[in-house]
Amino acid sequence: IAAIKKHKHFLLTTHTSPEGDALGSELAFFRLLKKMGKKATVINQDPLPKEYSFLPYIEHIKHYGNVRQPIFDCMVVLDCSDLNRTGKVFRINNCGRPVINIDHHISNDRFGGPRWVEPLLSSTSEMVYILYKELRIPLDRDAAILLYTGIMTDTGSFRYSNTSAFTHKVIGELMSFN
């Protein structure tokens, strides 16, 4: 939270072949930064899967091969256990700016710093939900759609063992934005 408050311009990314939690957490974090008055650029290695074209703010995700060097003072890597899994995107940070690592995978290799790795949570989207609460940023319908998508996909529609009572509490609140 201190690092988020400290920096003004962020570069956001996730792993190659992004799925619901990667995209949902990334875009919900993008929304959180915007609500805080911060600037953010989202760049991913791979093109977007068509099944996620309904997500709010999807048009803000840029493809690595089609962008020029963005202005940023902090990089945030979401839902990615290894910096190399961002594809070539990590090379954009050739000046060694801080890398915030936000992930829920037990296999996370603890790159970057500061880092927040929570293997007991269902998804990185659940972690971004916690950031909204801790930072007292009000949720809205768009954030709810993004977070719900991420949590639903990473829990296998709430069937996997990573689904907890807390997961259902979060989902209950997100559903109230319908």
Side-chain angles (χ1 to χ4, degrees):
I1 289 175
I4 294 168
K5 288 180 177 179
K6 175 183 175 183
H7 296 286
K8 293 179 177 33
H9 299 271
F10 293 83
L11 169 62
L12 310 181
T13 194
T14 190
H15 59 76
T16 55
S17 302
E19 39 54 63
D21 189 31
L23 297 169
S25 63
E26 182 178 54
L27 290 170
F29 193 81
F30 172 82
R31 180 80 176 126
L32 177 135
L33 291 173
K34 292 295 188 182
K35 285 186 165 196
M36 293 177 71
K38 311 278 184 175
K39 296 192 185 289
T41 303
V42 185
I43 301 175
N44 289 344
Q45 172 70 40
D46 293 334
L48 298 168
K50 289 180 183 163
E51 64 265 29
Y52 295 106
S53 63
F54 71 93
L55 289 174
Y57 308 104
I58 201 82
E59 70 277 6
H60 291 281
I61 297 178
K62 297 175 178 158
H63 183 260
Y64 173 78
N66 300 333
V67 295
R68 57 187 173 95
Q69 180 71 24
I71 296 170
F72 67 99
D73 58 359
C74 184
M75 183 175 191
V76 181
V77 180
L78 296 115
D79 195 44
C80 188
S81 61
D82 174 349
L83 192 56
N84 290 317
R85 286 207 61 221
T86 66
K88 295 177 183 174
V89 177
F90 79 90
R91 294 181 187 171
I92 295 172
N93 190 11
N94 55 11
C95 295
R97 291 176 179 90
V99 176
I100 299 175
N101 173 355
I102 302 175
D103 186 34
H104 73 108
H105 296 100
I106 197 164
S107 60
N108 188 286
D109 69 7
R110 308 289 198 246
F111 65 86
R115 67 187 70 79
W116 180 28
V117 180
E118 287 284 350
L120 296 178
L121 292 179
S122 73
S123 58
T124 304
S125 292
E126 202 169 277
M127 297 172 73
V128 173
Y129 166 88
I130 291 168
L131 284 174
Y132 271 83
K133 294 301 183 178
E134 290 293 320
L135 289 164
R136 292 186 168 90
I137 304 295
L139 288 164
D140 58 21
R141 188 173 190 279
D142 287 342
I145 290 168
L146 294 164
L147 296 171
Y148 185 98
T149 300
I151 295 168
M152 188 204 58
T153 56
D154 257 29
T155 61
S157 299
F158 317 107
R159 293 173 292 143
Y160 299 161
S161 61
N162 63 346
T163 306
S164 67
F166 180 71
T167 304
H168 286 293
K169 178 181 178 277
V170 171
I171 289 298
E173 181 178 349
L174 298 177
M175 289 181 67
S176 71
F177 289 94
N178 265 349

